[in-house]
Amino acid sequence: MRSFVSHTFTAVVVMAASSAAAAPPSIITQGNGAALACASCHGVDGAGNAPSGFPALAQLPPAYFAKQIADFKAGTRTHPVMTPIAQAMSVEDAESSARHYASQPHPKAGASTADPAVIARGRNLAINGAWGRQVPPCFKCHAADGLGVAPAFPPIAGQHATYTVSQLQAWKTGARTNDPQTLMKVVAENLSEEDIHAVAEYLATLGNRGKENE
Amino acid sequence: MQSPNIWQRSETGGRKMNKFAGYALCVLALGGMLGCDKQPPPPVPADVAPAAPPPVAAPAAAAPTRFTPPAESEIPQNEYGEMVLLGKNIFVNTQQHAKAYVGNGMNCANCHLDNGRKADSAPLWAAYVLYPAYRQKTRQVDTIQSRIQGCFLYSMNGKAPALDSKEMTALVTYHYWLAKGAPTGVKLPGQGYLKVAKPALTPDMARGRGVYENNCAICHGANGEGIKARDEYAFPPLWGKDSFNWGAGMHRVDTAAGFIQANMPYGLGGTLSDQEAWDVALFMNSHERPQDPRFKASVAQTRDTHHDENCLYGRTPEALAASIERTAEAADKAAAKPATEQVEGYSPALSH
């Protein structure tokens, strides 16, 4: 019994070590011929790229990730760059990239240049919402640390402000409609442009930590 | 004085889950003669005219203006303000700040939304000004403190903090501060939970399950178990061992229907029909949860002493649905005469 336990333990340690060291799947680094390498926009580490508006993908729940790829394929979510890439991805590609990015550590936040008053306004929206305008707090559904609630609610803390703004605007205008139960559509419709920028700037400051005070 | 053993967990009842052992017996109770409480009137102090408009209302407003509690930024920077803040923290994160008194996975704010501010979500500013009040069920004058103790015992499935404990002082201070400027002894608009009209069709389990799967499961889990993120409940459980117990007000189907219609799905309050709210409330409250701490001897006896026709304690969903139907018919007949003042979701039952 004891040797069985210790064998199992050794096996688990070896597996964990090897998966940490495992090379990223080729879809990430090389693409598959038809689909560009994921890393060309999102990085191998899934940190994305703020100036270009490429989202961070690190720590996305695999089920959420797979749903987005499936929606791009089906046309229920559209994007000029992502739609053709998703269409060229196999089920295997989607699964291996989802697994890879889910295992990457949360990206580091760059220094924010936003006005502290704007950040404070965004922080208040994220924590308290604005119920007078039917805006629930972001952190009730995306968890108190903003790092998401698997499987359906993605992390939003540490996401690039440009990307968060673009998605909230897309829900508000009806350009993006693949949110479950219209949960995000209703939130976005009740946010002003100023709210959207404030909350996105605040969330972008929350990189690289598991809890507020770590 | 409150009989002390009301606040003590029954040894036999403990944390055991009620197995609906009373199904067979419950049929006997449906005649309405065996302790199924009618909803008595709200606790309005006898010396105050209940219809007086709040002085904070806009002078010439025709419709009653909603009371607005002070903004969080107005909490004073002094010893009093620190106590307000502690009360708020206990209310919002009871798991962390009043751990010793909590026996499930809930926080006070899970049912009193917007940190106890949201109208139709039993807001604290409206509650504070209604007490002390005589309640028929307890046959005594209850205070805001005894009400809060009830919350801990039933909704939090825990134990009541002593009247002189720091937790109690902090919570009362937070209630008081939120009610700043509200008229005392007046039932303010938005008090309690929404009262949802009787549904056109008898509430139904199968429809309720459908509503649940399409509107609730994404957050509260396929089995009502809630969803955790990093070991804390991000979405609270609706039934099971970590949810409110069989003595909590939310286990009443009428109260739950009102809460759900006004507030759920989260962020989409008011979008379910009354029918959907009743159906899903019936489905939600048909599941197991921790025992009623007032449990004595048998489910049937506990039911007959403490539960009425809106409670699924020791009663099948079908029996409850049928009794709601009968009650609604009786109410329809009564409604032929001029309507008496409606009690908005207030449950003066001993059950919290």
Side-chain angles (χ1 to χ4, degrees):
Chain A
M1 193 61 202
R2 170 172 287 170
S3 79
F4 172 74
V5 170
S6 80
H7 272 108
T8 318
F9 180 71
T10 316
V12 167
V13 169
V14 169
M15 275 164 61
S18 68
S19 84
S26 60
I27 182 71
I28 305 274
T29 50
Q30 288 145 48
N32 67 7
L36 269 177
C38 310
S40 43
C41 294
H42 300 285
V44 174
D45 59 358
N49 182 306
S52 321
F54 302 141
L57 302 181
Q59 298 277 309
L60 278 186
Y64 179 85
F65 190 108
K67 177 179 187 293
Q68 302 311 306
I69 300 294
D71 287 353
F72 280 125
K73 272 191 181 182
T76 46
R77 181 176 176 186
T78 58
H79 187 270
V81 177
M82 267 316 293
T83 300
I85 292 176
Q87 280 167 347
M89 283 170 78
S90 67
V91 174
E92 230 282 282
D93 290 337
E95 278 172 7
S96 63
S97 50
R99 266 199 312 273
H100 170 76
Y101 282 129
S103 72
Q104 295 301 303
H106 196 66
K108 278 194 168 56
S112 172
T113 52
D115 178 352
V118 170
I119 305 263
R121 175 185 177 141
R123 180 174 188 271
N124 187 45
L125 274 173
I127 296 173
N128 294 317
W131 281 106
R133 293 181 279 136
Q134 284 305 309
V135 176
C138 312
F139 287 172
K140 280 287 177 182
C141 290
H142 296 274
D145 51 16
L147 294 179
V149 184
F153 297 85
I156 52 174
Q159 186 56 272
H160 307 302
T162 43
Y163 180 73
T164 305
V165 167
S166 72
Q167 297 311 297
L168 289 171
Q169 285 172 338
W171 272 305
K172 197 173 160 131
T173 60
R176 182 173 174 186
T177 55
N178 73 331
D179 52 329
Q181 298 173 214
T182 71
L183 286 166
M184 280 313 301
K185 170 190 185 336
V186 172
V187 170
E189 279 173 356
N190 292 332
L191 292 173
S192 68
E193 275 304 305
E194 281 163 320
D195 291 335
I196 288 177
H197 281 97
V199 81
E201 289 293 351
Y202 167 67
L203 293 172
T205 65
L206 299 180
N208 202 30
R209 37 185 187 167
K211 284 259 160 92
E212 276 263 311
N213 51 5
E214 263 174 31
Chain B
M1 272 301 286
Q2 184 71 59
S3 155
N5 64 3
I6 287 182
W7 306 120
Q8 275 159 21
R9 185 182 303 285
S10 139
E11 287 307 314
T12 29
R15 301 261 164 115
K16 268 181 278 159
M17 307 283 268
N18 164 40
K19 293 280 187 243
F20 283 139
Y23 271 5
L25 279 164
C26 78
V27 180
L28 297 170
L30 288 172
M33 299 302 290
L34 294 174
C36 290
D37 306 296
K38 299 285 169 289
Q39 294 233 353
V44 173
D47 56 341
V48 186
V56 286
T65 319
R66 287 247 151 125
F67 172 77
T68 309
E72 206 174 301
S73 55
E74 288 169 45
I75 297 179
Q77 306 268 350
N78 55 23
E79 286 83 351
Y80 167 71
E82 274 165 28
M83 195 55 91
V84 173
L85 210 55
L86 177 62
K88 189 208 122 183
N89 289 337
I90 293 173
F91 197 80
V92 172
N93 192 345
T94 326
Q95 294 293 320
Q96 188 183 322
H97 298 284
K99 210 175 158 69
Y101 302 100
V102 180
N104 61 14
M106 314 282 299
N107 295 306
C108 303
N110 289 158
C111 303
H112 301 277
L113 301 199
D114 195 11
N115 305 347
R117 294 164 174 271
K118 197 163 177 288
D120 296 328
S121 184
L124 306 186
W125 42 264
Y128 186 81
V129 297
L130 281 185
Y131 294 90
Y134 179 79
R135 289 163 79 211
Q136 262 185 19
K137 179 71 190 224
T138 56
R139 293 180 194 282
Q140 64 178 12
V141 172
D142 279 338
T143 60
I144 191 78
Q145 287 88 343
S146 61
R147 202 65 182 141
I148 292 171
Q149 287 182 322
C151 306
F152 275 103
L153 194 62
Y154 304 113
S155 292
M156 311 299 288
N157 193 38
K159 38 183 211 261
L163 294 179
D164 61 357
S165 62
K166 183 153 193 178
E167 287 80 1
M168 181 59 79
T169 304
L171 279 169
V172 172
T173 310
Y174 181 55
H175 284 62
Y176 168 79
W177 176 75
L178 281 174
K180 188 176 180 187
T184 301
V186 174
K187 186 176 173 302
L188 295 167
Q191 186 267 343
Y193 290 108
L194 199 69
K195 176 105 180 158
V196 177
K198 135 196 135 84
L201 307 171
T202 306
D204 177 79
M205 286 286 284
R207 277 199 312 267
R209 177 188 295 277
V211 174
Y212 185 80
E213 285 167 359
N214 293 327
N215 298 280
C216 321
I218 188 174
C219 293
H220 293 289
N223 298 306
E225 73 279 32
I227 304 185
K228 286 184 175 178
R230 295 159 291 286
D231 295 332
E232 282 165 27
Y233 278 108
F235 297 114
L238 300 189
W239 61 83
K241 66 178 175 45
D242 277 349
S243 190
F244 53 89
N245 71 34
W246 278 111
M250 194 61 81
H251 99 283
R252 296 175 59 91
V253 177
D254 54 347
T255 305
F259 171 83
I260 292 165
Q261 214 287 328
N263 300 299
M264 294 292 143
Y266 193 74
L268 305 178
T271 58
L272 293 183
S273 67
D274 292 355
Q275 184 71 54
E276 289 169 319
W278 277 89
D279 289 343
V280 77
L282 181 76
F283 175 73
M284 169 176 104
N285 282 341
S286 69
H287 290 88
E288 295 302 348
R289 53 183 68 263
Q291 176 62 284
D292 188 335
R294 299 163 300 184
F295 177 89
K296 274 224 186 74
S298 71
V299 167
Q301 189 183 321
T302 311
R303 177 199 63 219
D304 295 347
T305 321
H306 298 293
H307 296 264
D308 70 14
E309 74 281 355
N310 274 294
C311 308
L312 280 156
Y313 185 91
R315 210 171 256 128
T316 63
E318 293 71 26
L320 181 133
S323 84
I324 288 176
E325 190 75 348
R326 276 198 300 279
T327 317
E329 275 165 26
D332 276 353
K333 279 187 202 122
K337 39 182 184 152
T340 49
E341 211 229 328
Q342 275 288 327
V343 185
E344 273 193 15
Y346 182 75
S347 163
L350 219 196
S351 58
H352 166 59

